[in-house]
Amino acid sequence: MTGMTDLREVTVGTGAGLDTADMVLNIGPQHPSTHGVLRLKLVLDGERVVSCEPIVGYMHRGAEKLFEVRDYRQIIVLANRHDWLSAFANELGVVLAVERLMGLEVPERAVWLRTALAELNRALNHLMFLGSYPLEIGAITPVFYAFRERETLQAVMEEVSGGRMHFMFNRVGGLKEEVPAGWTRRAREAIGQVRRRLPDLDNLIRRNEIFLARTVGVGVLPAADAAAYGASGPVARASGLDFDLRRDEPYLAYGELDVPVVTRTTGDCHARFEVLLDQVYVSLDLAEQCLDRVDRITGPVNVRLPKVVKAPEGHTYAWTENPLGINGYYLVSRGEKTPWRMKLRTASYANVQALSTLIPGCLVPDLIAILGSMFFVVGDIDK
């Protein structure tokens, strides 16, 4: 062409001995497989990922700053929204931190009810991912089975709290109110129903040849890397980190329960899926044991508190085994009705950091399988 002297020929290939040009590709911040507004900045050599940088912050709502201008009753409503699939567990961490700072002893009936509801919430969370993860890699049917079971448990949670997603059933000093008459029986029936039907989902997907081909040996997270990134929950246990706060540092009624910890050693996408699936069976069993105990305990489900709740001056840290991993709540009080500082350590934030190690070297189609298997909620990252 006339006038163009600086012409250069670039060959873009797959790196097989060719002179290649890397391509920068953004996955997200709005993409069906990013579980929300997460952005991954990828450098690709053909179809192979050279580097991956997770970029967070698109959903940031400043919840930790909002805690500082809300009283101890109001912060619960903010806290149950960061991981919207684990609302009950999120509320729980906040009230445990406040109760610890105030030196409050919660009635025994409330403790066992909280434990039962926390395990039902865990099963709800896991069923969501057990349906959505296969969907992301092309299996449509499992999501229908997963949501059938979710609806059965959701009805039980809705009856007791009035909420489907954000239960708002925890209060500083116990629970909002006594459970409806006959609720424990109906909850046990629902658990029995889910336990009988769960093999439908299990048999459909766990040993499915196509699912195995997409997940076995893909996205391996070694135990050392999982520990280095602070990964926890099902993601870490699938890599062989045998750590679960319910057994190792019991809170609520877990000290009186035998909590089986589900682990795998391969650390690949399939191991993470299997840990999640087997954990649902465990949670159903634990919830049932708690409900049996609730039926034998009488008494109040909360402590009467003054109109204005003030935590004494000081600081405390409470951590819980949330469905997606360890959530920590660091509370600093200056003796006022609002926290001076409330810092959240969320499971998803730590787990998603490991993507920068996991994804380089994989192919673009495997990227989706790996991303889905890390089980995170973007609100939990951005808080």
Side-chain angles (χ1 to χ4, degrees), residues 53 76 80 94 166 184 218 242 281 301 305 343 366 382:
E53 182 188 353
I76 299 169
N80 73 17
V94 170
H166 305 302
T184 52
V218 174
D242 188 4
Y281 293 103
V301 293
L305 294 173
K343 178 78 178 76
D366 287 339
D382 289 350

Side-chain angles (χ1 to χ4, degrees), residues 135-149:
L135 189 66
E136 283 164 11
I137 51 180
I140 294 169
T141 315
V143 75
F144 298 113
Y145 287 95
F147 266 76
R148 178 185 67 179
E149 310 318 332

Side-chain angles (χ1 to χ4, degrees), residues 28-351:
Q30 287 286 8
H31 187 278
S33 74
T34 54
H35 293 261
V37 282
L38 173 71
R39 176 179 161 212
L40 295 178
K41 184 181 172 186
L42 306 175
V43 176
L44 301 181
D45 178 9
E47 275 209 59
R48 197 165 294 281
V49 180
V50 176
S51 70
C52 165
E53 182 188 353
I55 300 172
V56 303
Y58 289 91
M59 267 190 74
H60 185 56
R61 290 159 292 174
E64 292 175 327
K65 294 308 285 179
L66 291 173
F67 288 151
E68 296 169 20
V69 289
R70 304 286 190 282
D71 69 37
Y72 287 108
R73 290 188 173 99
Q74 293 170 325
I75 60 174
I76 299 169
V77 78
L78 290 171
N80 73 17
R81 281 165 166 73
H82 56 88
D83 173 1
W84 45 82
L85 296 175
S86 314
F88 189 87
N90 298 340
E91 302 169 11
L92 193 55
V94 170
V95 296
L96 287 174
V98 179
E99 286 162 5
R100 184 173 295 177
L101 200 54
M102 292 176 70
L104 273 183
E105 192 156 331
V106 177
E108 191 185 9
R109 185 171 168 83
V111 170
W112 283 95
L113 271 169
R114 276 178 172 180
T115 314
L117 291 163
E119 289 306 313
L120 289 173
N121 189 202
R122 191 182 310 277
L124 278 173
N125 173 294
H126 291 357
L127 284 164
M128 178 73 200
F129 286 105
L130 292 172
S132 70
Y133 180 49
L135 189 66
E136 283 164 11
I137 51 180
I140 294 169
T141 315
V143 75
F144 298 113
Y145 287 95
F147 266 76
R148 178 185 67 179
E149 310 318 332
R150 263 179 67 85
E151 280 305 313
T152 305
L153 296 178
Q154 201 86 67
V156 166
M157 297 293 277
E158 187 176 3
E159 183 192 355
V160 77
S161 68
R164 282 176 61 82
M165 284 280 281
H166 305 302
F167 306 108
M168 274 305 293
F169 199 56
N170 278 292
R171 293 292 184 274
V172 175
L175 294 169
K176 177 185 164 193
E177 59 197 5
E178 182 53 82
V179 298
W183 177 81
T184 52
R185 175 181 52 78
R186 290 189 289 279
R188 268 196 301 272
E189 286 168 3
I191 290 168
Q193 215 174 352
V194 172
R195 195 187 280 115
R196 282 192 304 275
R197 295 188 313 209
L198 201 54
D200 293 348
L201 175 65
D202 196 328
N203 298 333
L204 183 70
I205 197 73
R206 192 196 293 251
R207 295 281 162 243
N208 180 292
E209 283 183 30
I210 302 169
F211 186 71
L212 289 171
R214 292 295 307 272
T215 56
V216 172
V218 174
V220 176
L221 178 65
D225 286 354
Y229 279 101
S232 58
V235 168
R237 289 195 287 271
S239 296
L241 291 185
D242 188 4
F243 183 63
D244 190 314
L245 287 180
R246 296 173 297 168
R247 179 199 63 194
D248 302 328
E249 281 202 28
Y251 56 99
L252 295 181
Y254 289 117
E256 296 182 51
L257 293 167
D258 178 23
V259 181
V261 177
V262 181
T263 59
R264 293 289 184 277
T265 52
T266 50
D268 58 8
C269 293
H270 195 261
R272 291 190 280 273
F273 181 84
E274 274 199 318
V275 167
L276 216 62
L277 185 50
D278 289 338
Q279 186 65 62
V280 176
Y281 293 103
V282 170
S283 289
L284 293 174
D285 290 345
L286 290 173
E288 195 165 48
Q289 289 172 43
C290 292
L291 292 169
D292 290 342
R293 186 67 175 264
V294 167
D295 284 344
R296 301 200 297 271
I297 300 169
T298 54
V301 293
N302 48 40
V303 177
R304 278 190 74 84
L305 294 173
K307 192 172 182 182
V308 177
V309 176
K310 291 185 179 181
E313 196 169 331
H315 61 98
T316 189
Y317 183 74
W319 58 348
T320 59
E321 186 68 44
N322 262 42
L324 296 181
I326 293 171
N327 268 31
Y329 303 81
Y330 180 56
L331 170 64
V332 184
S333 169
R334 287 188 167 176
E336 297 156 352
K337 66 177 184 178
T338 62
W340 183 72
R341 190 77 178 88
M342 181 90 169
K343 178 78 178 76
L344 303 180
R345 183 268 184 219
T346 58
S348 298
Y349 185 80
N351 290 353

